Amino acid sequence: MRLSVFTVCMPDYDLKETVDLLSRLGYDGVEWRVQEIDPAMADQPPSFWGNNRSTVDLSTIVEQASALRDLTRSAGLSVSALATYLPCQDEERAERVMRAATVLGAPMVRLGVPRYDRSRPYGELYGEARRALQAISRLAAAYGVRVLVEIHMGTIIPSAGLAHRLLDGLDPDLVGAIYDPGNMVCEGYEAWRMGMELLGPYLAHVHVKNYAWYPQEEDSLGTLRWAPRPAPLAKGMVDWAQVIADLEAVGYQGYLSVEDFDTTTGTADRLAADIGYLRRLGA
């Protein structure tokens, strides 16, 4: 398996600093965060989802694709994926990202699925997402890329089983799932290998992070509340040794893409520790 980093977890590094660091640490690729950049955020401290300096601007991604390709390649890195926050229904902007992907040599583009918050029935949300993926897969075929949807808490696909239900019957060369055990600790846990086996050809990409659950305050009825927080890769609830063994058992040969939100150490130290740990696990 090859190792990359999803740049959402490198908010204090600009694009050149990002590829320089990842190359120096020995990573194989980079998964670029793609989002419209708000100039008003530039004076804010770096943060994962705010002023993230390791972000490719969605509004100019086509225009900067050639330069970004050259920057990435000059560091000896491949582009494992382009990770957007666009809903899968947004064909117009998704097409722009796919155009850039063909220039960058990025084989996969992440799009979003509906959130589930009890305000609308699951069946309606599922139907909308299914129709959108059927449409967007035709666009993906035209550009020679693969659309990814991420197993993520708070959405209609928090588990491998629900991701498979959404994708089943679509062309696995055009659509696939990001398998994210860290997210599944928060919601949607299923036995790792069983979920991988179920996804089969839809298992396209893997995000690497960890979470642990911590007790919070008791409510007025005496119920103790719990909440997940990011943890170092080796210290959370995901047994990454088992996950990697299970990925090997099902024949997975794609990327493990680090998306580590632990803030107990700085970015460079954290990513150095992560690649060292993953290599010790045989990745």
Side-chain angles (χ1 to χ4, degrees):
M1 282 172 267
R2 293 164 291 175
L3 301 181
S4 72
V5 172
F6 177 17
T7 63
V8 67
C9 68
M10 302 180 65
D12 45 341
Y13 283 70
D14 67 21
L15 303 186
K16 185 177 188 311
E17 291 167 344
T18 289
V19 297
D20 288 346
L21 176 63
L22 298 187
S23 177
R24 177 166 59 82
L25 294 177
Y27 284 92
D28 305 299
V30 57
E31 179 178 349
W32 288 114
R33 180 181 190 261
V34 179
Q35 175 71 299
E36 289 183 345
I37 295 177
D38 181 0
M41 299 291 296
D43 294 332
Q44 301 296 316
S47 62
F48 296 131
W49 297 282
N51 180 24
N52 188 312
R53 299 171 63 229
S54 194
T55 297
V56 180
D57 193 345
L58 175 62
S59 64
T60 59
I61 189 171
V62 174
E63 293 76 12
Q64 62 178 312
S66 294
L68 184 61
R69 175 198 60 208
D70 294 344
L71 177 69
T72 306
R73 289 180 179 175
S74 69
L77 301 173
S78 299
V79 180
S80 60
L82 298 178
T84 82
Y85 300 85
L86 297 173
C88 55
Q89 298 94 328
D90 192 342
E91 290 189 43
E92 181 178 353
R93 290 193 292 173
E95 182 173 11
R96 296 185 69 254
V97 178
M98 291 179 187
R99 286 174 58 196
T102 62
V103 176
L104 286 162
M108 301 179 287
V109 173
R110 183 185 74 173
L111 299 176
V113 298
R115 296 193 61 79
Y116 181 80
D117 60 7
R118 297 184 174 88
S119 63
R120 294 181 61 199
Y122 163 79
E124 289 182 8
L125 299 170
Y126 166 83
E128 288 181 6
R130 178 74 179 194
R131 290 188 294 272
L133 287 172
Q134 289 170 332
I136 207 76
S137 65
R138 293 190 286 271
L139 191 61
Y143 283 94
V145 299
R146 192 179 191 186
V147 169
L148 302 182
V149 294
E150 184 173 3
I151 296 173
H152 203 292
M153 61 281 197
T155 74
I156 63 169
I157 55 168
S159 66
L162 285 171
H164 180 265
R165 181 172 191 260
L166 181 63
L167 299 174
D168 190 29
L170 300 178
D171 187 342
D173 290 332
L174 301 177
V175 297
I178 301 175
Y179 192 78
D180 194 316
N183 287 347
M184 294 164 68
V185 162
C186 302
E187 180 189 1
Y189 170 74
E190 295 166 332
W192 307 126
R193 183 165 169 178
M194 181 177 69
M196 297 170 191
E197 292 171 345
L198 176 62
L199 286 170
Y202 297 108
L203 176 58
H205 196 52
V206 177
H207 275 175
V208 178
K209 58 178 175 283
N210 219 330
Y211 279 91
W213 284 82
Y214 297 89
Q216 308 298 296
E217 296 181 354
E218 290 188 11
D219 65 16
S220 60
L221 299 176
T223 303
L224 178 63
R225 301 297 180 182
W226 293 72
R229 292 203 302 267
L233 288 191
K235 307 296 184 182
M237 297 184 71
V238 178
D239 180 350
W240 274 105
Q242 184 64 61
V243 172
I244 289 171
D246 288 343
L247 287 167
E248 291 174 344
V250 301
Y252 178 73
Q253 297 180 341
Y255 274 95
L256 300 179
S257 195
V258 173
E259 187 193 19
D260 188 349
F261 296 127
D262 176 55
T263 57
T264 56
T265 59
T267 299
D269 289 341
R270 170 168 32 93
L271 294 178
D274 289 347
I275 192 171
Y277 179 62
L278 291 170
R279 292 303 190 201
R280 289 196 299 277
L281 296 181

